[in-house]
């Protein structure tokens, strides 16, 4: 079925179009509508994938695979639900599968986006770009020590800024479970961070 000229004009004007309408248009054969969804979510999806797999090329491939799978499953999508969290759930699952196969490095983040277990920002002590680069490497190392479930929630919640309810929808868990895991993940992150800082201070003193 070809979209009418009125529908095409509506899709051309992307502002104000809700996801459910675009999904329904796509189901009716309007590929331009799906193109709007791709443009709406592509950048953030690639960024999330890159944080998980630490390879820009792989991240783009995973994002493309995500859109392909979502496109082919639209007939099963409940438009009463939010499209964005469903899309990211498919993408995150692909990213986690990739990590479980051991084909990439752990995610990379910025220390100033990690929060303590009290919810307060875990800010770096020095704004010097060189120091911040070293801290970013330290964050990458510490994230690698966390279980995948905790790591994923930290990436989504603290690095990408998804709400707890959105993270719950993405990973398929209750919001209360997400809050509990997030607290545990932040606590473990801080514990490893503090141990490594103590070890570094002792090494400097011994030297």
């Amino acid at each position: 079925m070809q979209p009418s000229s009125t529908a095409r004009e509506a899709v051309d004007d992307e502002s104000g179009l809700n996801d459910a309408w675009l999904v329904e248009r796509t189901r009716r054969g309007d590929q331009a509508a799906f193109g709007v969804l791709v443009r709406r979510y592509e950048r953030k999806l690639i960024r999330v994938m890159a944080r998980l797999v630490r390879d820009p090329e792989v991240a783009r491939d995973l994002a493309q695979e995500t859109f392909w799978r979502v496109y082919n499953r639209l007939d099963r999508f409940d438009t009463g639900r939010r499209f964005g969290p469903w899309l990211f759930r498919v993408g995150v699952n692909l990213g986690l599968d990739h990590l479980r196969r051991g084909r990439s490095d752990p995610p990379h983040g910025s220390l100033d986006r990690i929060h303590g277990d009290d919810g307060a920002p875990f800010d770096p002590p020095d704004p010097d770009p060189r120091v911040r680069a070293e801290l970013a490497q330290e964050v990458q190392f510490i994230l690698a020590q966390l279980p995948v479930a905790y790591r994923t929630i930290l990436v989504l919640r603290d690095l990408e800024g998804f709400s707890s309810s959105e993270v719950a929808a993405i990973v398929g868990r209750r919001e209360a479970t997400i809050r509990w895991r997030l607290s545990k993940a932040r606590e473990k992150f801080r514990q490893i961070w503090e141990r490594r800082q103590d070890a570094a201070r002792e090494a400097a003193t011994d030297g």
Side-chain angles (χ1 to χ4, degrees), residues 15 33 37 43 61 64 66 82 84 90 98-99 108 116 124 129 141 147 152 161 166 178 186 189-190 200 203 206:
S15 60
L37 290 170
R43 288 186 179 180
D61 289 343
Q64 184 176 12
T66 299
R82 291 177 296 173
V90 175
H98 184 87
L99 286 175
H108 167 72
F141 178 87
T152 303
E166 289 171 331
I178 296 302
R186 287 170 172 170
F189 183 97
R190 183 177 289 277
D206 293 341

Side-chain angles (χ1 to χ4, degrees), residues 133 142 159:
I142 295 174
L159 299 183

Side-chain angles (χ1 to χ4, degrees), residues 87-136:
L87 170 74
F88 281 95
R89 181 174 183 176
V90 175
V92 166
N93 284 339
L94 283 173
L96 293 177
D97 287 344
H98 184 87
L99 286 175
R100 291 187 188 105
R101 292 194 296 269
R103 291 169 52 188
S104 191
D105 294 329
H108 167 72
S110 171
L111 184 62
D112 58 359
R113 296 292 296 279
I114 297 291
H115 293 64
D117 53 5
D118 59 356
F122 197 24
D123 293 322
D126 197 319
D128 188 299
R130 292 169 297 181
V131 175
R132 292 179 69 86
E134 293 176 359
L135 291 173

Side-chain angles (χ1 to χ4, degrees), residues 117 153 157 164-165 167-168 173-186:
D117 53 5
I153 289 175
R157 184 69 179 89
S164 295
S165 62
V167 175
R173 294 290 186 271
R174 294 181 179 179
E175 190 171 346
T177 301
I178 296 302
R179 288 195 295 267
W180 181 84
R181 286 188 179 179
L182 180 62
S183 176
K184 291 295 183 181
R186 287 170 172 170

Side-chain angles (χ1 to χ4, degrees), residues 54 105-109 135-145 189:
R54 286 292 294 135
D105 294 329
H108 167 72
L135 291 173
Q137 292 180 351
E138 185 71 2
V139 168
Q140 178 178 340
F141 178 87
I142 295 174
L143 285 173
Q145 313 307 308
F189 183 97

Side-chain angles (χ1 to χ4, degrees), residues 37-115:
L37 290 170
V38 171
R39 288 189 293 275
R40 182 169 291 175
Y41 290 103
E42 185 175 30
R43 288 186 179 180
K44 189 166 188 175
L45 180 61
I46 291 175
R47 190 169 64 243
V48 169
M49 295 295 96
R51 289 189 186 279
L52 286 176
V53 304
R54 286 292 294 135
D55 185 319
E57 291 299 324
V58 172
R60 282 189 283 271
D61 289 343
L62 288 172
Q64 184 176 12
E65 176 67 16
T66 299
F67 282 116
W68 175 253
R69 291 193 182 192
V70 164
Y71 180 81
N72 285 288
R73 297 176 185 175
L74 281 181
D75 59 331
R76 289 177 273 172
F77 176 65
D78 178 6
T79 53
R81 299 167 55 195
R82 291 177 296 173
F83 175 80
W86 179 58
L87 170 74
F88 281 95
R89 181 174 183 176
V90 175
V92 166
N93 284 339
L94 283 173
L96 293 177
D97 287 344
H98 184 87
L99 286 175
R100 291 187 188 105
R101 292 194 296 269
R103 291 169 52 188
S104 191
D105 294 329
H108 167 72
S110 171
L111 184 62
D112 58 359
R113 296 292 296 279
I114 297 291
H115 293 64

